[in-house]
Amino acid sequence: MKVYTRTGDAGMTSLVGGKRVEKSCARLESYGTIDELNAQVGLLLTYVTEPADRDCLIGIQKRLFVCGAQLATEAESPCKPSCIITVDDVTALEHSIDQASEGLPRWRGFTLPGGCRAAAIAHVCRTVCRRAERRILALDATEKVSPELIAYVNRLSDYFYVLALRLNNLQGTEEILWEK
């Protein structure tokens, strides 16, 4: 199987359903950033050892594929994604945030990104997730995006923040607090 097709050499690509668009369009920016986030989560997984955290991150990677497929499909496309982000996905992610928060010290203020390597990468995931959200909202301004997908990505950045705190806590790494 050849990976290259040469069809994108002139700066155009196909969406789900076959419509050709510029690679710089808002739709590609949104799902391209989701793809970047998924790769960062893959990197994060190489440093996470707790089985529950690993399972959650792998589940998130699978849901990010769903996000990408949804974002790569225009509303008027004859092809529809086989699965979509739902309210249940948002609720499950909220539950994961609650679980990751258990046993953490009370909030003492904003923390600087960093700490142990896994936590630092979780912070990178958080920032890439926030950029993905901005790209999705830019797309939503011109082409309607599922509110459940938007809520999921919004919640996901919260998850990465709490996970970073958890990972530092598990490693015994002290958070560095931001000071005015």
Tab-separated table of all heavy atoms in Angstrom, residues 39-89:
chain	number	residue	atom	x	y	z
A	39	ALA	N	-1.634	12.853	19.096
A	39	ALA	CA	-0.225	12.446	19.099
A	39	ALA	C	0.437	12.810	20.425
A	39	ALA	O	1.232	12.025	20.968
A	39	ALA	CB	0.509	13.098	17.931
A	40	GLN	N	0.100	13.975	20.975
A	40	GLN	CA	0.660	14.368	22.274
A	40	GLN	C	0.168	13.433	23.383
A	40	GLN	O	0.926	13.096	24.304
A	40	GLN	CB	0.300	15.823	22.611
A	40	GLN	CG	0.980	16.842	21.738
A	40	GLN	CD	2.463	17.000	22.033
A	40	GLN	OE1	3.011	16.438	22.970
A	40	GLN	NE2	3.131	17.774	21.207
A	41	VAL	N	-1.083	13.004	23.298
A	41	VAL	CA	-1.597	12.041	24.279
A	41	VAL	C	-0.829	10.732	24.156
A	41	VAL	O	-0.506	10.091	25.159
A	41	VAL	CB	-3.122	11.835	24.121
A	41	VAL	CG1	-3.626	10.726	25.053
A	41	VAL	CG2	-3.884	13.133	24.391
A	42	GLY	N	-0.502	10.335	22.932
A	42	GLY	CA	0.322	9.136	22.738
A	42	GLY	C	1.674	9.274	23.407
A	42	GLY	O	2.174	8.326	24.032
A	43	LEU	N	2.280	10.449	23.306
A	43	LEU	CA	3.542	10.699	23.992
A	43	LEU	C	3.347	10.639	25.502
A	43	LEU	O	4.140	10.012	26.215
A	43	LEU	CB	4.101	12.065	23.582
A	43	LEU	CG	5.379	12.507	24.288
A	43	LEU	CD1	6.529	11.541	24.018
A	43	LEU	CD2	5.738	13.932	23.863
A	44	LEU	N	2.299	11.259	25.997
A	44	LEU	CA	2.004	11.238	27.426
A	44	LEU	C	1.877	9.801	27.933
A	44	LEU	O	2.381	9.463	29.015
A	44	LEU	CB	0.726	12.033	27.714
A	44	LEU	CG	0.184	12.027	29.142
A	44	LEU	CD1	1.210	12.546	30.133
A	44	LEU	CD2	-1.106	12.838	29.207
A	45	LEU	N	1.247	8.956	27.153
A	45	LEU	CA	1.062	7.558	27.550
A	45	LEU	C	2.381	6.829	27.788
A	45	LEU	O	2.429	5.891	28.583
A	45	LEU	CB	0.249	6.803	26.500
A	45	LEU	CG	-1.252	6.854	26.679
A	45	LEU	CD1	-1.976	6.452	25.409
A	45	LEU	CD2	-1.674	5.983	27.851
A	46	THR	N	3.449	7.271	27.150
A	46	THR	CA	4.736	6.602	27.345
A	46	THR	C	5.317	6.874	28.728
A	46	THR	O	6.261	6.197	29.135
A	46	THR	CB	5.767	7.002	26.263
A	46	THR	OG1	6.119	8.378	26.409
A	46	THR	CG2	5.248	6.720	24.869
A	47	TYR	N	4.752	7.858	29.455
A	47	TYR	CA	5.239	8.205	30.787
A	47	TYR	C	4.244	7.888	31.907
A	47	TYR	O	4.576	8.038	33.070
A	47	TYR	CB	5.588	9.700	30.851
A	47	TYR	CG	6.753	10.045	29.970
A	47	TYR	CD1	6.561	10.644	28.734
A	47	TYR	CD2	8.052	9.763	30.370
A	47	TYR	CE1	7.638	10.955	27.921
A	47	TYR	CE2	9.132	10.056	29.561
A	47	TYR	CZ	8.917	10.656	28.335
A	47	TYR	OH	9.985	10.955	27.536
A	48	VAL	N	3.042	7.493	31.560
A	48	VAL	CA	2.014	7.217	32.565
A	48	VAL	C	2.005	5.728	32.863
A	48	VAL	O	1.933	4.903	31.943
A	48	VAL	CB	0.624	7.697	32.075
A	48	VAL	CG1	-0.480	7.260	33.008
A	48	VAL	CG2	0.625	9.206	31.918
A	49	THR	N	2.067	5.389	34.155
A	49	THR	CA	2.142	3.973	34.538
A	49	THR	C	0.896	3.462	35.239
A	49	THR	O	0.660	2.252	35.250
A	49	THR	CB	3.357	3.738	35.459
A	49	THR	OG1	3.244	4.582	36.605
A	49	THR	CG2	4.670	4.036	34.729
A	50	GLU	N	0.103	4.347	35.826
A	50	GLU	CA	-1.104	3.910	36.539
A	50	GLU	C	-2.119	3.339	35.546
A	50	GLU	O	-2.516	4.037	34.606
A	50	GLU	CB	-1.737	5.079	37.298
A	50	GLU	CG	-0.934	5.567	38.483
A	50	GLU	CD	-0.908	4.548	39.612
A	50	GLU	OE1	-1.953	3.950	39.904
A	50	GLU	OE2	0.179	4.360	40.180
A	51	PRO	N	-2.566	2.090	35.740
A	51	PRO	CA	-3.496	1.462	34.789
A	51	PRO	C	-4.777	2.263	34.547
A	51	PRO	O	-5.215	2.392	33.397
A	51	PRO	CB	-3.803	0.104	35.419
A	51	PRO	CG	-2.597	-0.187	36.270
A	51	PRO	CD	-2.148	1.146	36.787
A	52	ALA	N	-5.365	2.826	35.588
A	52	ALA	CA	-6.615	3.584	35.404
A	52	ALA	C	-6.373	4.829	34.550
A	52	ALA	O	-7.198	5.168	33.688
A	52	ALA	CB	-7.212	3.970	36.759
A	53	ASP	N	-5.251	5.503	34.777
A	53	ASP	CA	-4.928	6.694	33.984
A	53	ASP	C	-4.641	6.306	32.533
A	53	ASP	O	-5.077	6.984	31.596
A	53	ASP	CB	-3.722	7.432	34.569
A	53	ASP	CG	-4.014	8.034	35.942
A	53	ASP	OD1	-5.187	8.366	36.220
A	53	ASP	OD2	-3.059	8.154	36.740
A	54	ARG	N	-3.928	5.212	32.348
A	54	ARG	CA	-3.636	4.748	30.985
A	54	ARG	C	-4.925	4.393	30.242
A	54	ARG	O	-5.109	4.784	29.090
A	54	ARG	CB	-2.698	3.531	31.016
A	54	ARG	CG	-1.285	3.866	31.479
A	54	ARG	CD	-0.366	2.654	31.383
A	54	ARG	NE	-0.323	2.115	30.027
A	54	ARG	CZ	0.358	2.653	29.012
A	54	ARG	NH1	1.057	3.746	29.208
A	54	ARG	NH2	0.345	2.098	27.823
A	55	ASP	N	-5.804	3.671	30.913
A	55	ASP	CA	-7.078	3.300	30.279
A	55	ASP	C	-7.876	4.540	29.887
A	55	ASP	O	-8.458	4.596	28.800
A	55	ASP	CB	-7.911	2.426	31.212
A	55	ASP	CG	-7.337	1.022	31.391
A	55	ASP	OD1	-6.447	0.631	30.598
A	55	ASP	OD2	-7.768	0.330	32.335
A	56	CYS	N	-7.898	5.527	30.769
A	56	CYS	CA	-8.625	6.759	30.478
A	56	CYS	C	-8.018	7.468	29.269
A	56	CYS	O	-8.739	7.913	28.372
A	56	CYS	CB	-8.631	7.679	31.698
A	56	CYS	SG	-9.647	9.152	31.463
A	57	LEU	N	-6.704	7.545	29.226
A	57	LEU	CA	-6.037	8.225	28.106
A	57	LEU	C	-6.250	7.501	26.781
A	57	LEU	O	-6.461	8.139	25.745
A	57	LEU	CB	-4.542	8.383	28.400
A	57	LEU	CG	-4.207	9.417	29.472
A	57	LEU	CD1	-2.746	9.307	29.890
A	57	LEU	CD2	-4.545	10.822	29.005
A	58	ILE	N	-6.235	6.186	26.812
A	58	ILE	CA	-6.509	5.432	25.585
A	58	ILE	C	-7.946	5.660	25.137
A	58	ILE	O	-8.222	5.834	23.949
A	58	ILE	CB	-6.185	3.932	25.777
A	58	ILE	CG1	-4.669	3.760	25.921
A	58	ILE	CG2	-6.731	3.090	24.624
A	58	ILE	CD1	-4.225	2.386	26.393
A	59	GLY	N	-8.875	5.708	26.090
A	59	GLY	CA	-10.258	6.032	25.763
A	59	GLY	C	-10.378	7.421	25.145
A	59	GLY	O	-11.136	7.635	24.193
A	60	ILE	N	-9.619	8.367	25.682
A	60	ILE	CA	-9.614	9.722	25.138
A	60	ILE	C	-9.072	9.709	23.710
A	60	ILE	O	-9.628	10.367	22.823
A	60	ILE	CB	-8.801	10.669	26.049
A	60	ILE	CG1	-9.613	10.978	27.312
A	60	ILE	CG2	-8.396	11.947	25.321
A	60	ILE	CD1	-8.843	11.662	28.414
A	61	GLN	N	-8.010	8.952	23.475
A	61	GLN	CA	-7.488	8.866	22.114
A	61	GLN	C	-8.555	8.352	21.143
A	61	GLN	O	-8.695	8.871	20.032
A	61	GLN	CB	-6.260	7.963	22.056
A	61	GLN	CG	-5.015	8.608	22.612
A	61	GLN	CD	-3.780	7.811	22.270
A	61	GLN	OE1	-3.650	6.659	22.662
A	61	GLN	NE2	-2.869	8.430	21.530
A	62	LYS	N	-9.299	7.367	21.562
A	62	LYS	CA	-10.360	6.831	20.700
A	62	LYS	C	-11.429	7.884	20.441
A	62	LYS	O	-11.924	8.016	19.312
A	62	LYS	CB	-10.970	5.583	21.343
A	62	LYS	CG	-10.006	4.412	21.370
A	62	LYS	CD	-10.584	3.225	22.113
A	62	LYS	CE	-9.585	2.080	22.170
A	62	LYS	NZ	-10.093	0.923	22.914
A	63	ARG	N	-11.782	8.655	21.464
A	63	ARG	CA	-12.794	9.705	21.295
A	63	ARG	C	-12.249	10.843	20.424
A	63	ARG	O	-12.995	11.484	19.692
A	63	ARG	CB	-13.277	10.254	22.643
A	63	ARG	CG	-13.929	9.237	23.586
A	63	ARG	CD	-14.837	8.223	22.932
A	63	ARG	NE	-16.059	8.789	22.389
A	63	ARG	CZ	-16.829	8.169	21.499
A	63	ARG	NH1	-16.517	6.976	21.055
A	63	ARG	NH2	-17.917	8.745	21.056
A	64	LEU	N	-10.933	11.090	20.495
A	64	LEU	CA	-10.346	12.117	19.632
A	64	LEU	C	-10.437	11.711	18.158
A	64	LEU	O	-10.618	12.572	17.287
A	64	LEU	CB	-8.901	12.412	20.041
A	64	LEU	CG	-8.755	13.207	21.340
A	64	LEU	CD1	-7.295	13.283	21.767
A	64	LEU	CD2	-9.367	14.602	21.221
A	65	PHE	N	-10.340	10.415	17.865
A	65	PHE	CA	-10.564	9.963	16.491
A	65	PHE	C	-11.995	10.270	16.057
A	65	PHE	O	-12.243	10.674	14.926
A	65	PHE	CB	-10.275	8.462	16.353
A	65	PHE	CG	-8.915	8.168	15.804
A	65	PHE	CD1	-7.840	7.977	16.653
A	65	PHE	CD2	-8.701	8.101	14.435
A	65	PHE	CE1	-6.577	7.718	16.161
A	65	PHE	CE2	-7.444	7.837	13.921
A	65	PHE	CZ	-6.367	7.643	14.784
A	66	VAL	N	-12.933	10.086	16.979
A	66	VAL	CA	-14.336	10.398	16.685
A	66	VAL	C	-14.476	11.900	16.416
A	66	VAL	O	-15.149	12.310	15.461
A	66	VAL	CB	-15.261	9.936	17.833
A	66	VAL	CG1	-16.681	10.411	17.630
A	66	VAL	CG2	-15.211	8.413	17.975
A	67	CYS	N	-13.846	12.721	17.263
A	67	CYS	CA	-13.876	14.177	17.052
A	67	CYS	C	-13.338	14.517	15.664
A	67	CYS	O	-13.947	15.312	14.930
A	67	CYS	CB	-13.038	14.898	18.102
A	67	CYS	SG	-13.701	14.912	19.768
A	68	GLY	N	-12.205	13.930	15.316
A	68	GLY	CA	-11.609	14.204	14.015
A	68	GLY	C	-12.526	13.824	12.870
A	68	GLY	O	-12.672	14.577	11.906
A	69	ALA	N	-13.156	12.668	12.979
A	69	ALA	CA	-14.075	12.224	11.919
A	69	ALA	C	-15.272	13.169	11.807
A	69	ALA	O	-15.698	13.517	10.698
A	69	ALA	CB	-14.545	10.805	12.191
A	70	GLN	N	-15.805	13.593	12.949
A	70	GLN	CA	-16.922	14.536	12.919
A	70	GLN	C	-16.513	15.852	12.268
A	70	GLN	O	-17.247	16.407	11.453
A	70	GLN	CB	-17.421	14.830	14.337
A	70	GLN	CG	-18.517	13.931	14.811
A	70	GLN	CD	-19.066	14.385	16.150
A	70	GLN	OE1	-18.639	13.870	17.178
A	70	GLN	NE2	-19.971	15.323	16.146
A	71	LEU	N	-15.347	16.348	12.650
A	71	LEU	CA	-14.892	17.632	12.128
A	71	LEU	C	-14.519	17.550	10.643
A	71	LEU	O	-14.582	18.555	9.932
A	71	LEU	CB	-13.706	18.133	12.947
A	71	LEU	CG	-14.056	18.537	14.379
A	71	LEU	CD1	-12.789	18.708	15.208
A	71	LEU	CD2	-14.902	19.808	14.398
A	72	ALA	N	-14.151	16.372	10.170
A	72	ALA	CA	-13.791	16.183	8.760
A	72	ALA	C	-15.009	15.951	7.880
A	72	ALA	O	-14.869	15.762	6.674
A	72	ALA	CB	-12.823	15.016	8.627
A	73	THR	N	-16.194	15.978	8.478
A	73	THR	CA	-17.427	15.703	7.741
A	73	THR	C	-18.338	16.932	7.792
A	73	THR	O	-18.758	17.349	8.877
A	73	THR	CB	-18.170	14.500	8.353
A	73	THR	OG1	-17.267	13.399	8.454
A	73	THR	CG2	-19.367	14.103	7.512
A	74	GLU	N	-18.608	17.504	6.646
A	74	GLU	CA	-19.535	18.647	6.595
A	74	GLU	C	-20.955	18.172	6.853
A	74	GLU	O	-21.303	17.023	6.569
A	74	GLU	CB	-19.474	19.318	5.229
A	74	GLU	CG	-18.176	20.024	4.952
A	74	GLU	CD	-18.201	20.734	3.620
A	74	GLU	OE1	-18.440	20.052	2.602
A	74	GLU	OE2	-17.988	21.944	3.615
A	75	ALA	N	-21.782	19.070	7.369
A	75	ALA	CA	-23.168	18.725	7.678
A	75	ALA	C	-23.917	18.221	6.443
A	75	ALA	O	-24.726	17.296	6.536
A	75	ALA	CB	-23.887	19.933	8.278
A	76	GLU	N	-23.631	18.810	5.283
A	76	GLU	CA	-24.351	18.414	4.071
A	76	GLU	C	-23.719	17.237	3.335
A	76	GLU	O	-24.207	16.819	2.286
A	76	GLU	CB	-24.490	19.613	3.112
A	76	GLU	CG	-23.183	20.167	2.601
A	76	GLU	CD	-22.556	21.228	3.515
A	76	GLU	OE1	-23.097	21.506	4.596
A	76	GLU	OE2	-21.503	21.755	3.136
A	77	SER	N	-22.668	16.655	3.895
A	77	SER	CA	-22.015	15.511	3.264
A	77	SER	C	-22.959	14.311	3.235
A	77	SER	O	-23.663	14.044	4.215
A	77	SER	CB	-20.749	15.136	4.035
A	77	SER	OG	-20.198	13.948	3.503
A	78	PRO	N	-22.971	13.578	2.126
A	78	PRO	CA	-23.795	12.373	2.071
A	78	PRO	C	-23.264	11.265	2.999
A	78	PRO	O	-23.998	10.373	3.397
A	78	PRO	CB	-23.716	11.940	0.609
A	78	PRO	CG	-22.468	12.567	0.081
A	78	PRO	CD	-22.256	13.833	0.873
A	79	CYS	N	-21.987	11.347	3.341
A	79	CYS	CA	-21.378	10.375	4.255
A	79	CYS	C	-21.460	10.916	5.673
A	79	CYS	O	-21.150	12.077	5.924
A	79	CYS	CB	-19.913	10.142	3.898
A	79	CYS	SG	-19.656	9.528	2.234
A	80	LYS	N	-21.870	10.091	6.592
A	80	LYS	CA	-21.963	10.491	7.998
A	80	LYS	C	-21.010	9.634	8.822
A	80	LYS	O	-20.831	8.453	8.538
A	80	LYS	CB	-23.403	10.323	8.519
A	80	LYS	CG	-24.440	11.161	7.774
A	80	LYS	CD	-24.170	12.637	7.929
A	80	LYS	CE	-25.192	13.456	7.150
A	80	LYS	NZ	-24.728	14.776	6.814
A	81	PRO	N	-20.399	10.226	9.863
A	81	PRO	CA	-19.522	9.420	10.717
A	81	PRO	C	-20.297	8.277	11.359
A	81	PRO	O	-21.478	8.422	11.682
A	81	PRO	CB	-19.041	10.403	11.780
A	81	PRO	CG	-19.382	11.765	11.289
A	81	PRO	CD	-20.498	11.608	10.312
A	82	SER	N	-19.623	7.151	11.550
A	82	SER	CA	-20.292	5.989	12.154
A	82	SER	C	-20.536	6.187	13.645
A	82	SER	O	-21.360	5.498	14.230
A	82	SER	CB	-19.479	4.715	11.906
A	82	SER	OG	-18.189	4.859	12.459
A	83	CYS	N	-19.804	7.104	14.279
A	83	CYS	CA	-20.072	7.435	15.675
A	83	CYS	C	-19.769	8.907	15.892
A	83	CYS	O	-19.023	9.519	15.120
A	83	CYS	CB	-19.281	6.540	16.630
A	83	CYS	SG	-17.520	6.501	16.341
A	84	ILE	N	-20.380	9.480	16.907
A	84	ILE	CA	-20.239	10.896	17.207
A	84	ILE	C	-20.022	11.081	18.708
A	84	ILE	O	-20.281	10.169	19.500
A	84	ILE	CB	-21.485	11.701	16.754
A	84	ILE	CG1	-22.740	11.202	17.462
A	84	ILE	CG2	-21.643	11.670	15.242
A	84	ILE	CD1	-23.976	12.059	17.262
A	85	ILE	N	-19.547	12.261	19.081
A	85	ILE	CA	-19.419	12.614	20.491
A	85	ILE	C	-20.814	12.921	21.021
A	85	ILE	O	-21.572	13.669	20.403
A	85	ILE	CB	-18.480	13.824	20.669
A	85	ILE	CG1	-17.070	13.504	20.179
A	85	ILE	CG2	-18.469	14.293	22.126
A	85	ILE	CD1	-16.349	12.406	20.954
A	86	THR	N	-21.138	12.339	22.175
A	86	THR	CA	-22.471	12.484	22.754
A	86	THR	C	-22.399	13.122	24.142
A	86	THR	O	-21.311	13.271	24.705
A	86	THR	CB	-23.158	11.114	22.886
A	86	THR	OG1	-22.432	10.342	23.860
A	86	THR	CG2	-23.218	10.365	21.556
A	87	VAL	N	-23.549	13.434	24.677
A	87	VAL	CA	-23.635	13.932	26.052
A	87	VAL	C	-23.042	12.900	27.010
A	87	VAL	O	-22.387	13.264	28.001
A	87	VAL	CB	-25.102	14.248	26.422
A	87	VAL	CG1	-25.244	14.569	27.892
A	87	VAL	CG2	-25.622	15.406	25.585
A	88	ASP	N	-23.238	11.620	26.731
A	88	ASP	CA	-22.669	10.565	27.581
A	88	ASP	C	-21.136	10.625	27.602
A	88	ASP	O	-20.524	10.355	28.629
A	88	ASP	CB	-23.126	9.179	27.112
A	88	ASP	CG	-24.602	8.933	27.386
A	88	ASP	OD1	-25.194	9.652	28.216
A	88	ASP	OD2	-25.151	8.005	26.753
A	89	ASP	N	-20.519	10.986	26.476
A	89	ASP	CA	-19.063	11.127	26.432
A	89	ASP	C	-18.616	12.279	27.333
A	89	ASP	O	-17.610	12.167	28.042
A	89	ASP	CB	-18.575	11.368	25.006
A	89	ASP	CG	-18.805	10.185	24.100
A	89	ASP	OD1	-18.528	9.045	24.523
A	89	ASP	OD2	-19.262	10.398	22.957
